[in-house]
Amino acid sequence: MDASSDHPGAPEAVALVDATPPREHRGIGPFLFEPFARHTAERIRARAPRTVLETACCTGIVTRRLREALPRDAMLVASDPDERMLAVAHRTVGAAAGVGWVRADLCKLQFGDGDFDAVVCQFGLMFAPDKVAAVREARRVLRPGGSFLITTWAPLERNPLVALVHRTLGAMFRDEPSPHLAQSSFDYGDPDLLNNLLLAGGFQDVVVDVVEKATSSPSAHELAAGLIEGYPQIEEIRLHGEARLSAAVTAVAAAIRRQFGDAPVRARITALVASAVA
């Protein structure tokens, strides 16, 4: 697929929207996403694809590492359903990087059948309303023999710092139940579930690895703010007022400080990294 063609899925210019990096980029991006972005990029480098699609690129942390790992003449297209995220990602990677940017729903991609040699989705599948559709779309846009590399979080018990945040918030809001406080992007961490999903989506040669990484953050407060404001529960917490939000950040920062240290915060995080062949 030629990035400059009139193909209906060809990369488009990123709209001029507010590109201020959100908390999930500044506060927790280096802590949660960067270690696995590097891992993903190295695994893609080993496959030497010529055309790569990233779905749910969010703020571009993975995109940047993919662009560094791929040859300059390899085509990289980064997509996300949120125009604001695309604008932040464009700034993260840089205008001269040679990345195509497309607003796209990973459950209904606008690319042609077999357009790509590889598809990458890091920490996006958990938010897809129809996970089978998302996997089938990745399979459709891959050429026969193409590679799909997908990363989801392992369960909370394998990510103790994030589990600590959930316990702390749960204690704070025990008398003020909120639907999203009980939900987590860490709930899709069963290797068998991921394996079966990829098989159901038409993939073969599925391999699911449990990968643990060391990580750090400059301070407990910065990490607490990022973890709270970058996750679905933020809107529910804000319903209780800005004072409660500030109190939540303070409480979570104190809990992190006690168990993991303050400056820097050091921890280990674990994810499932699955590869499959179209």
Side-chain angles (χ1 to χ4, degrees), residues 217-221 257 260-266:
S217 179
S219 76
H221 186 272
R257 195 175 295 118
F260 294 92
D262 184 20
V265 178
R266 301 186 190 278

Side-chain angles (χ1 to χ4, degrees), residues 239-256:
L239 290 176
H240 303 296
E242 289 300 317
R244 291 287 279 166
L245 173 59
S246 178
V249 172
T250 298
V252 168
I256 291 173

Side-chain angles (χ1 to χ4, degrees), residues 27 33 57 68 106 113 120-121 126 140 146-147 150 219 229-231 273-275:
F33 306 137
C57 73
E68 292 171 351
L106 75 168
D113 296 354
V120 172
C121 182
M126 301 89 72
R140 181 185 64 78
S147 298
I150 185 165
S219 76
E229 295 193 26
Y231 274 74
V273 181
S275 62

